[in-house]
Amino acid sequence: MKLILLGPPGAGKGTQAKTLVDEYGIPQISTGDILRAAVKEGTEMGLKAKAFMDAGGLVPDEVVIGIVRDRLQHDDCAKGFILDGFPRTVPQADALQSTLSGLQKELDLVISLAVDGEALVERLAGRRACGSCGRGYHVSYEPPKKSDVCDVCGAALVQRADDQEETIRKRLAVYDEQTAPLIAYYRGCGLLRELDGMKPIDEVRTRISDLLKAV
Ligand code: AP5
Ligand code: MG
Ligand code: ZN
């Protein structure tokens, strides 16, 4: 299964990708997660990316295209992959097509998750993640059993640096301007399937499974 999850910040791309990893035995490739790991490690790429990410803007195309081109060649992508947060611009989508054709692979599906703007702000402002194992939560929609503590490993929950309201609004504007055109791009290729991302997490998961079974 070679899949793109497309959608604005907070649409549920990461939440859904994580459950598909177990179901299909294919990796989640989140450029946001890869960049955050580089920031944490303090690599040269991480240092450059941090300023763009903190401001809610996009990291330059050539940086993320290079990351994904390398990642797609790892052995664990042999059976497929879930791209989460990539591509985000038309040049990134074009670069993905040429990388995949070089590897003699083709995308199966692009699933677009649609969610209202105000719901996105609420989801992102309430998002938390475990600082140790990375498990995701939401203070209202997916709360941990004990406030601010991970159910799985007991470590403290943390908030992403770019999940402050002002930065969230900037990220949403960048999405509308630079990423939303990919909906038409993939509709034009006949690969797009649109889902109502306003539904509860489990219901979205079931709808995605139905689409994947039909491939
Ligand atoms: P990235 O990490 O990709 O962030 P994003 O696209 O802004 O998306 P999010 O991770 O915020 O949202 P999500 O859709 O994964 O939502 P989630 O499942 O967590 O990118 C971060 C930054 O890195 C970018 O701003 C940019 O600077 C840089 N970057 C990354 N990729 C790049 C690229 N390709 N090009 C250039 N720059 C790039 O859900 C959110 C919350 O809602 C959670 O708390 C969850 O529990 C809850 N939730 C999920 N689904 C539901 C539901 N159905 N109902 C209720 N609550 C729900
Ligand atoms: Mg995410
Ligand atoms: Zn944990």
Side-chain angles (χ1 to χ4, degrees):
M1 181 60 58
K2 294 173 283 305
L3 173 71
I4 293 176
L5 289 179
L6 184 64
K13 304 180 297 292
T15 302
Q16 298 299 334
K18 286 198 170 62
T19 72
L20 295 172
V21 166
D22 297 332
E23 203 177 326
Y24 287 86
I26 51 176
Q28 168 195 14
I29 303 179
S30 158
T31 40
D33 286 349
I34 294 169
L35 290 166
R36 275 184 294 279
V39 170
K40 208 170 166 184
E41 281 166 30
T43 65
E44 199 185 321
M45 178 182 78
L47 292 175
K48 276 193 202 147
K50 187 176 187 307
F52 295 101
M53 297 170 78
D54 286 350
L58 294 183
V59 173
D61 283 340
E62 60 272 21
V63 176
V64 280
I65 288 169
I67 291 174
V68 173
R69 194 182 291 134
D70 291 347
R71 184 65 187 82
L72 286 173
Q73 310 201 26
H74 290 198
D75 291 345
D76 64 346
C77 294
K79 280 202 301 176
F81 49 80
I82 306 150
L83 285 169
D84 156 10
F86 181 95
R88 256 172 146 98
T89 63
V90 170
Q92 289 181 23
D94 288 339
L96 176 64
Q97 297 291 53
S98 77
T99 299
L100 290 177
S101 59
L103 295 168
Q104 287 169 346
K105 291 183 178 182
E106 265 181 45
L107 285 171
D108 293 304
L109 221 52
V110 178
I111 298 181
S112 159
L113 299 172
V115 178
D116 298 347
E118 282 315 304
L120 294 171
V121 175
E122 202 191 330
R123 284 186 188 184
L124 293 173
R127 172 166 60 185
R128 300 289 183 274
C130 173
S132 177
C133 74
R135 162 84 156 83
Y137 296 89
H138 187 280
V139 291
S140 312
Y141 307 127
E142 231 192 339
K145 293 193 181 80
K146 192 171 160 219
S147 164
D148 289 326
V149 175
C150 179
D151 293 349
V152 182
C153 74
L157 302 188
V158 293
Q159 193 171 16
R160 248 168 67 174
D162 57 350
D163 277 348
Q164 302 300 324
E165 186 161 340
E166 198 186 327
T167 317
I168 292 171
R169 292 195 186 278
K170 174 78 201 307
R171 286 160 58 205
L172 294 176
V174 168
Y175 171 83
D176 286 341
E177 193 185 311
Q178 303 205 50
T179 310
L182 294 181
I183 294 176
Y185 180 104
Y186 285 115
R187 190 181 287 128
C189 310
L191 290 171
L192 190 78
R193 303 290 180 276
E194 292 175 274
L195 286 184
D196 180 3
M198 292 292 287
K199 297 273 189 283
I201 294 174
D202 285 343
E203 204 174 321
V204 177
R205 180 174 304 152
T206 308
R207 297 278 163 275
I208 292 178
S209 290
D210 291 346
L211 288 175
L212 298 184
K213 278 180 204 137
V215 167

